[in-house]
Amino acid sequence: MEFKTQEEYLLALAEAIKYLNPKDATKVLRYYETRITNAIEYGEKEEDVIRNLPDVETVAKETYESHGVNYLAMRKKIMKRKEITSNIIGVIVSFFIVVGFFVIMFFLGQSIVNMFSLLINVIKSSSGVDVFITPFAIVLYILCIILLIIYLLDLFLILIANFLGPVIKLKDQDKHRKIFTFTVTGFIEDKCKHQKVQPKLLVSFIVLLIICICVSYSTNGYFKKSLNDTPSHLNTLTFEDNFTDIVIKGYNGNIYFKQTDSNTIILEHQYEFEHDLNLKIENNTLNINLEMTKAYDVFNLLNEPTQNLIFHIPSSFTNKNILIEMDKSIIDISDISNINNIDLLVKTKGTISVVNSEAFNLNVKGYEINLAIAKSKINDNIYIETSKGQTLVQQESNLNNVELINNSSYIKFDNSTIKNLKIENASGTIEFMKMTGTTLDIKSRQSVNTYDDCEYDNIKLNVSNSSKLTLNRTISNNIDISLDNSQLLLNYIKGNIRVNATSGTVYLSSVGENHELASENYNNEIETNVKIYNKGSACKVEAVDSKINDLLINQEGGFINLSKSSITTGSLNATDTETIDLIDLQGDQIDLFIANVKQTFIIDAEKNTGIKYVIKTIDTLSFARLLADSEVVTVINEAVDANE
């Protein structure tokens, strides 16, 4: 092989002597690099120098022999190792390909079976033009799936030949192993004597399927009912027997409860295909076990419209209990009163709405729940346990005791009264707006929390794992907040505030001040007292434009900044902080217990406010800058020696 440049020659030589000891290989490369460089410096052309050098293979052979290296045996060993590794990887990949192929084939095969079942049901229930259009569309759909299976089978054979062929020593000359070079597509094209037969068929089937869907939709056929999810058949049942409980199990349709002026309970069953409606009244209980609505295809084009159960319940029907076990269902309870207990068990996913209704207890459990409560009254307890979803309580709901356990969810409470509210939430979002009650207990981690316009006697908030909590325009006798590596923002808050933080950021803005958008209760002259305990090298406390009667800050490490605020009395106990800034403060007196301020300690003001700063420790001032005008602020040293 001819080389034109020095780089090409040295790269080829490095590859040829790669089985040599690295130190010896470096010497050989350096020798030839120096030889080429010297020749070029003496005026020879680079191409001529490279052309006159010995062949790379010759150099490699002589080098291996001079160093006693059997490079052929070494290369064979390395190649064998690579072959074994490649075979192992090929077997592993082939295993997953086989498993994935059979899983996909299972679901596609099941889809074909479902399509034939749908075909029978459509033929039984359709009328008019749809008797011909929908069955023809289903057949086209089945043919499309069969063509997809053929393509997947060909892909499977090609992948297996690629990954498993080297393992079983498959070679091109092994003509008798035709299975690895054979594809169904190739066989079809060979027999038909035409290329791209399957793509042409697939495009034709899809075009015809779209035409059938359009015709069926325009003639109010099955496709319109399926896409709009509107069943066409109705069965009405009237119950003369008395019962107090309603139990529904094994159902994935929609359930509606509505008030009626009738003296009897009326049940409407809306459906598209005939389903067994198993009803039994026993021990004052109506038991319903309904056959589930089927999903025929993954694209929702041919699925059966969802069944609906609509209960018309008279107001005279008292002391009733409702128990529902559902799967991917919607439950709507509207304008119903006198319900004792509502127990809802959601298997995978459920949407629940309680509007303008009254009950004593509501229990909801499941994996993914979307719950909305509006203009309703729950007299005793609400218990909600879910892994994800949304919970909305809004529009003047009046609830007594609510306990919510949730993960990765969105929670919103708006314009309602909840006497006692307890929430445990992880990795979710919490929003409160215009809420009143007695106790509010929130435990949240890795989340975003916003509380606006709340009036609670006692508020307890526990926020951790890099969360953010914002409290706006809120009044409370006691606000107890626990922070762990999280951020706290308090805006226009009144009452007694206590913050216990580890590596927390606490920001107070206009705390204790009135706000024009807040309620009348908020704008009364209520004293605001703040206690903050914070520690950690990255912790921070900042108060701006606030009006605080009594302020206590006990902090180890971090930063402290108090500015443009009115503090009647204060006590600041700071150790090992980076900076302390006290700027333009008003009030009576602030006691300062400071030790080991690392960068700056600043007292500054632009006008005389009458406030006194009493410094209790003196040992840190050599490490700090004190900027105080004696005519503007008064600084009193009452310190004792640090050694005393």
Side-chain angles (χ1 to χ4, degrees):
M1 182 177 181
E2 293 186 1
F3 303 102
K4 294 183 178 181
T5 65
Q6 175 182 352
E7 289 76 11
E8 291 179 356
Y9 184 85
L10 293 177
L11 285 174
L13 181 58
E15 176 65 22
I17 62 174
K18 63 181 179 181
Y19 303 110
L20 199 64
N21 182 286
K23 186 176 180 181
D24 296 332
T26 302
K27 290 181 180 180
V28 174
L29 291 172
R30 191 171 298 164
Y31 166 77
Y32 281 95
E33 182 181 8
T34 304
R35 182 174 171 180
I36 296 170
T37 304
N38 291 338
I40 294 174
E41 289 178 353
Y42 277 101
E44 294 187 44
K45 293 183 179 180
E46 185 177 5
E47 292 185 7
D48 295 336
V49 174
I50 301 301
R51 190 182 304 110
N52 294 327
L53 289 175
D55 184 65
V56 168
E57 295 296 331
T58 303
V59 174
K61 183 178 179 182
E62 293 176 353
T63 303
Y64 284 127
E65 291 177 354
S66 63
H67 288 82
V69 176
N70 188 350
Y71 77 97
L72 294 176
M74 186 178 294
R75 183 172 63 178
K76 185 177 180 181
K77 183 178 180 181
I78 293 174
M79 294 299 294
K80 185 67 175 179
R81 188 183 302 142
K82 288 183 178 180
E83 182 182 0
I84 294 173
T85 303
S86 177
N87 289 344
I88 292 173
I89 295 174
V91 170
I92 294 173
V93 172
S94 298
F95 172 77
F96 285 106
I97 291 174
V98 170
V99 172
F101 173 77
F102 281 104
V103 169
I104 294 173
M105 287 299 107
F106 171 78
F107 284 108
L108 291 177
Q110 193 175 42
S111 297
I112 293 177
V113 174
N114 291 338
M115 289 299 106
F116 280 109
S117 176
L118 175 63
L119 182 62
I120 296 172
N121 288 326
V122 166
I123 292 174
K124 289 181 179 179
S125 61
S126 297
S127 59
V129 179
D130 205 49
V131 174
F132 306 99
I133 295 298
T134 301
F136 182 59
I138 294 173
V139 172
L140 291 172
Y141 199 93
I142 293 173
L143 292 174
C144 289
I145 294 177
I146 292 174
L147 289 177
L148 177 61
I149 290 175
I150 292 174
Y151 279 122
L152 289 174
L153 179 60
D154 289 346
L155 178 63
F156 170 73
L157 293 174
I158 293 170
L159 290 175
I160 288 296
N162 183 61
F163 287 102
L164 204 58
V167 178
I168 60 175
K169 308 298 183 184
L170 180 65
K171 299 179 181 178
D172 293 338
Q173 59 268 28
D174 294 336
K175 302 298 183 180
H176 59 283
R177 297 183 184 270
K178 293 183 179 180
I179 185 170
F180 288 105
T181 57
F182 168 79
T183 61
V184 178
T185 301
F187 176 78
I188 294 175
E189 292 181 354
D190 182 60
K191 294 298 181 183
C192 296
K193 306 299 181 183
H194 292 287
Q195 292 185 347
K196 298 182 179 180
V197 176
Q198 285 176 248
K200 294 176 182 177
L201 288 175
L202 182 60
V203 171
S204 301
F205 294 157
I206 292 175
V207 171
L208 291 173
L209 179 60
I210 293 174
I211 294 173
C212 291
I213 292 174
C214 294
V215 173
S216 177
Y217 197 92
S218 61
T219 57
N220 296 321
Y222 177 79
F223 277 97
K224 183 174 183 178
K225 290 178 285 187
S226 177
L227 294 172
N228 294 341
D229 200 20
T230 54
S232 58
H233 299 94
L234 174 65
N235 184 21
T236 303
L237 300 173
T238 302
F239 298 93
E240 301 293 342
D241 297 336
N242 294 324
F243 53 84
T244 58
D245 299 346
I246 299 175
V247 178
I248 303 174
K249 295 184 178 181
Y251 179 59
N252 64 342
N254 303 325
I255 305 173
Y256 302 90
F257 291 89
K258 299 181 179 180
Q259 200 88 42
T260 181
D261 295 331
S262 174
N263 293 323
T264 58
I265 296 179
I266 299 174
L267 171 61
E268 294 179 346
H269 178 210
Q270 296 178 347
Y271 60 93
E272 183 63 27
F273 302 141
E274 195 72 35
H275 288 278
D276 291 332
L277 186 60
N278 298 318
L279 300 175
K280 182 190 297 184
I281 299 177
E282 190 176 39
N283 297 327
N284 293 324
T285 301
L286 171 63
N287 293 284
I288 301 177
N289 197 332
L290 185 60
E291 198 175 292
M292 299 182 73
T293 303
K294 291 183 179 180
Y296 291 100
D297 77 301
V298 295
F299 301 109
N300 240 10
L301 291 173
L302 301 170
N303 283 346
E304 175 187 356
T306 305
Q307 298 178 76
N308 298 319
L309 291 179
I310 305 173
F311 287 89
H312 299 273
I313 299 179
S315 56
S316 59
F317 182 51
T318 59
N319 300 323
K320 45 189 171 286
N321 300 297
I322 298 174
L323 170 62
I324 301 176
E325 294 182 6
M326 61 181 185
D327 184 16
K328 300 178 182 178
S329 302
I330 295 176
I331 296 179
D332 182 41
I333 300 174
S334 302
D335 304 308
I336 302 295
S337 59
N338 301 322
I339 304 177
N340 272 359
N341 300 295
I342 303 175
D343 293 302
L344 306 176
L345 178 61
V346 181
K347 291 183 178 179
T348 55
K349 183 178 181 180
T351 299
I352 302 162
S353 174
V354 181
V355 180
N356 198 28
S357 296
E358 182 178 357
F360 285 95
N361 296 290
L362 172 63
N363 298 306
V364 182
K365 295 182 181 181
Y367 172 69
E368 182 177 352
I369 297 173
N370 297 317
L371 171 64
I373 301 175
K375 296 182 180 180
S376 295
K377 182 178 181 181
I378 308 297
N379 296 315
D380 287 343
N381 301 303
I382 295 179
Y383 179 81
I384 304 167
E385 184 177 339
T386 177
S387 294
K388 58 186 299 188
Q390 296 184 357
T391 299
L392 307 177
V393 177
Q394 54 188 342
Q395 298 179 5
E396 303 174 1
S397 293
N398 193 343
L399 314 175
N400 259 359
N401 303 302
V402 176
E403 183 176 358
L404 173 60
I405 300 175
N406 217 330
N407 292 311
S408 305
S409 64
Y410 172 75
I411 302 171
K412 182 175 182 179
F413 289 71
D414 183 13
N415 195 23
S416 296
T417 298
I418 301 179
K419 187 175 181 182
N420 300 304
L421 174 59
K422 182 178 181 181
I423 295 177
E424 293 185 16
N425 189 48
S427 303
T429 300
I430 301 177
E431 292 185 11
F432 275 59
M433 179 75 81
K434 296 181 181 180
M435 296 294 297
T436 60
T438 303
T439 62
L440 174 63
D441 187 350
I442 309 291
K443 185 176 182 181
S444 190
R445 58 186 185 274
Q446 291 183 330
S447 59
V448 177
N449 311 270
T450 305
Y451 307 91
D452 296 339
D453 303 293
C454 296
E455 295 184 17
Y456 272 84
D457 293 339
N458 296 288
I459 297 177
K460 184 178 180 181
L461 305 173
N462 188 319
V463 184
S464 60
N465 294 74
S466 302
S467 298
K468 181 179 179 180
L469 186 148
T470 303
L471 198 60
N472 298 314
R473 300 181 302 278
T474 294
I475 179 174
S476 176
N477 291 335
N478 297 292
I479 302 176
D480 195 347
I481 303 174
S482 177
L483 289 181
D484 184 5
N485 191 30
S486 298
Q487 183 178 356
L488 171 66
L489 288 83
L490 301 179
N491 303 306
Y492 292 99
I493 309 300
K494 283 191 173 183
N496 296 310
I497 304 169
R498 178 187 174 92
V499 180
N500 196 334
T502 301
S503 298
T505 298
V506 182
Y507 183 82
L508 286 69
S509 175
S510 302
V511 168
E513 296 285 1
N514 291 333
H515 193 283
E516 58 182 5
L517 297 179
S519 66
E520 294 181 0
N521 293 334
Y522 180 90
N523 289 323
N524 292 336
E525 289 301 323
I526 299 174
E527 290 186 350
T528 298
N529 303 308
V530 179
K531 295 181 179 180
I532 299 175
Y533 302 87
N534 202 357
K535 60 182 179 179
S537 59
C539 65
K540 183 177 182 179
V541 173
E542 185 171 356
V544 180
D545 299 325
S546 295
K547 183 180 180 181
I548 302 172
N549 180 60
D550 187 15
L551 172 66
L552 169 64
I553 298 178
N554 192 333
Q555 179 162 310
E556 298 178 15
F559 306 81
I560 299 175
N561 180 12
L562 308 179
S563 62
K564 299 179 182 180
S565 297
S566 173
I567 301 172
T568 305
T569 60
S571 179
L572 175 60
N573 191 334
T575 305
D576 297 323
T577 55
E578 294 289 333
T579 63
I580 300 175
D581 294 340
L582 308 176
I583 302 172
D584 292 335
L585 299 182
Q586 301 179 37
D588 293 337
Q589 179 174 313
I590 296 179
D591 295 333
L592 303 174
F593 300 85
I594 55 179
N596 299 329
V597 177
K598 297 178 181 179
Q599 293 185 16
T600 59
F601 171 57
I602 299 176
I603 297 177
D604 195 10
E606 295 182 357
K607 60 182 180 178
N608 193 344
T609 60
I611 194 169
K612 295 179 180 180
Y613 296 97
V614 181
I615 301 177
K616 298 292 186 177
T617 55
I618 199 70
D619 60 325
T620 63
L621 293 184
S622 59
F623 301 99
R625 292 187 295 115
L626 181 61
L627 306 179
D629 188 338
S630 59
E631 296 181 358
V632 178
V633 298
T634 302
V635 178
I636 302 174
N637 293 328
E638 294 185 356
V640 296
D641 187 70
N643 295 323
E644 293 184 7

